[in-house]
Amino acid sequence: MTDIVAPRLASTVLLLRDSKVANEIEIFMMVRHHQIEFNSGALVFPGGSVDKNDKEIAANPALYSGGDGLDADALGFRIAAIRETFEESGILLARPKGSKDLVDARPANEIAIAHRADLNEGKITFLKVLTDNGMLLALDELVPYAHWITPEGMPKRFDTWFFLAAAPPEQLGAHDGKESTDSIWVSAREALEGGETGRFKLPFPTTRNLIRLGKQGSVQAALDDSKGKSIVTVMPVMTKTATGRQLRIPKEAGYDGEVFDVGAVG
């Protein structure tokens, strides 16, 4: 009997902006490097694992706003979400100390140019980036959207919280060129069409969240619809049929179904 691998805590952010040409939302997405072990070559949202430095920041409320009532684990997920978003896209969900507004695009870009590469290479901590630049993480900009856990039996597993966030004005984002090789602002419709034509490789959770998000016509509508909504944890169960593979997820999770075909028998 194979031992069940414990999932690593992780966070993912769906950065949103309203499309200028259609009544749609655009989402910042990246193409994973083909040599990355997990989801190689896939079109994904920014995100990654919670680390010990995130927990150090969580222990210091002077470094963030919007953490009232959250326990250590919830704080860790949100802090990791903002850190990973910054590492992978250069977009910073933070406020200068004493300000109620998110950091402007120009200083955010300057911080990214100065620190992003070193942060990705482990030469500097996110805590130091924040303190050196007088920034407070804007945890209140994150709206919990979904909670997925990789199925048991998989060699690499994640316990992942998905968050929605409106992209700060004029912060456009860019991939790091290492873990990801391309980035794009794309509507849910276009991403899903690309998945069907083979232009994009879309993981199952990404597909389901894009379909769900695509029902919203604006960023504000998406945020309002999710605020305060109960979130049902999804841990898909894989089954094999005579014709292929299926994944079963809780119907009450809000993904328009319970059983999904995910591949034909090879």
Side-chain angles (χ1 to χ4, degrees), residues 228-251:
K229 182 174 286 188
S230 177
I231 293 175
V232 176
T233 298
V234 176
M235 187 170 72
V237 176
M238 176 81 73
T239 57
K240 292 183 178 180
T241 68
T243 56
R245 295 175 297 145
Q246 292 181 332
L247 284 179
R248 180 180 296 274
I249 66 175
K251 186 175 183 180

Side-chain angles (χ1 to χ4, degrees), residues 251-262:
K251 186 175 183 180
E252 58 271 24
Y255 290 102
D256 298 330
E258 186 175 9
V259 179
F260 301 88
D261 293 320
V262 293

